[in-house]
Amino acid sequence: MDTAQHNRIEELYYEMFDMLMAYARSALGNEALAEEAVQETFRVACQRPKQVCESVNPQGWLVQTLKYTICNMRNSQQSARRLLEKYMETRGHEASFSEDHLDLHILYKNVADTEEFKLLTEMVIEGRSHLEMAESRGISVDACKKRAQRAREKLRTKIKL
């Protein structure tokens, strides 16, 4: 990214941040997840500065990127939710996240105390963002995303056994 592209993306950030946050907040219903979505949108913009800066409508490019980011976040949460539900069903329990959080730990104490299960329940049931989960663990957001990915993979493996 050259200086002109950097400056243009910075201008777009100041121009569009509030509107993108409002959109993400409305779509996700969670301030922390909305902030994460907007940050991810600008991360993508920084990875593709030429596309953003040469776009006939860079503001529209950012909005569209935010829409895709929100869609990806929802898909990730739904995937984790389905995985937890499937795991619970394989253990002979009704899959319901309306149960008291403590009940989940009683029902699934063989895995409930694992870091993987805690991470997925925080993401799916509590709706916590990667940033919130990373801060509570004292790790980077990227490390938290990788741990969530590995947790889903580990739970998938347990379900297949």
Side-chain angles (χ1 to χ4, degrees), residues 24-161:
R25 223 180 278 117
S26 174
L28 295 168
N30 180 307
E31 184 77 19
L33 289 175
E35 186 174 328
E36 189 171 308
V38 173
Q39 285 178 347
E40 179 66 14
T41 298
F42 280 99
R43 186 191 66 75
V44 171
C46 288
Q47 286 183 323
R48 297 184 176 101
K50 187 175 181 180
Q51 289 179 341
V52 178
C53 295
E54 292 180 3
S55 171
V56 292
N57 182 5
Q59 294 85 352
W61 191 97
L62 288 171
V63 170
Q64 194 62 39
T65 301
L66 177 61
K67 287 179 183 180
Y68 289 132
T69 299
I70 290 169
C71 184
N72 289 338
M73 290 174 78
R74 285 180 177 156
N75 288 342
S76 178
Q77 284 186 326
Q78 286 301 323
S79 174
R81 177 181 292 273
R82 284 190 303 273
L83 190 60
L84 285 174
E85 287 172 351
K86 189 172 182 178
Y87 180 77
M88 289 177 195
E89 288 170 6
T90 63
R91 299 298 178 239
H93 298 288
E94 183 71 26
S96 172
F97 292 114
S98 61
E99 297 178 57
D100 187 273
H101 189 66
L102 226 163
D103 290 343
L104 286 176
H105 288 291
I106 293 168
L107 287 173
Y108 310 108
K109 67 181 180 179
N110 58 332
V111 287
D113 290 330
T114 65
E115 179 62 21
E116 293 86 5
F117 192 83
K118 289 176 185 176
L119 193 66
L120 291 178
T121 55
E122 285 177 25
M123 187 170 77
V124 173
I125 297 171
E126 297 172 19
R128 295 183 70 195
S129 70
H130 286 107
L131 176 64
E132 292 171 317
M133 294 185 301
E135 286 177 346
S136 71
R137 287 167 173 77
I139 60 175
S140 71
V141 173
D142 287 336
C144 185
K145 287 179 181 180
K146 191 64 178 176
R147 284 187 187 182
Q149 177 189 353
R150 288 182 181 141
R152 286 191 296 273
E153 290 168 2
K154 189 170 184 179
L155 202 50
R156 271 190 203 101
T157 303
K158 285 184 179 254
I159 289 170
K160 290 178 183 176
L161 294 177

Side-chain angles (χ1 to χ4, degrees), residues 1-11 49 53:
M1 176 175 0
D2 63 29
T3 306
Q5 291 169 333
H6 177 273
N7 291 339
R8 179 63 180 135
I9 291 174
E10 185 176 11
E11 288 172 13
C53 295

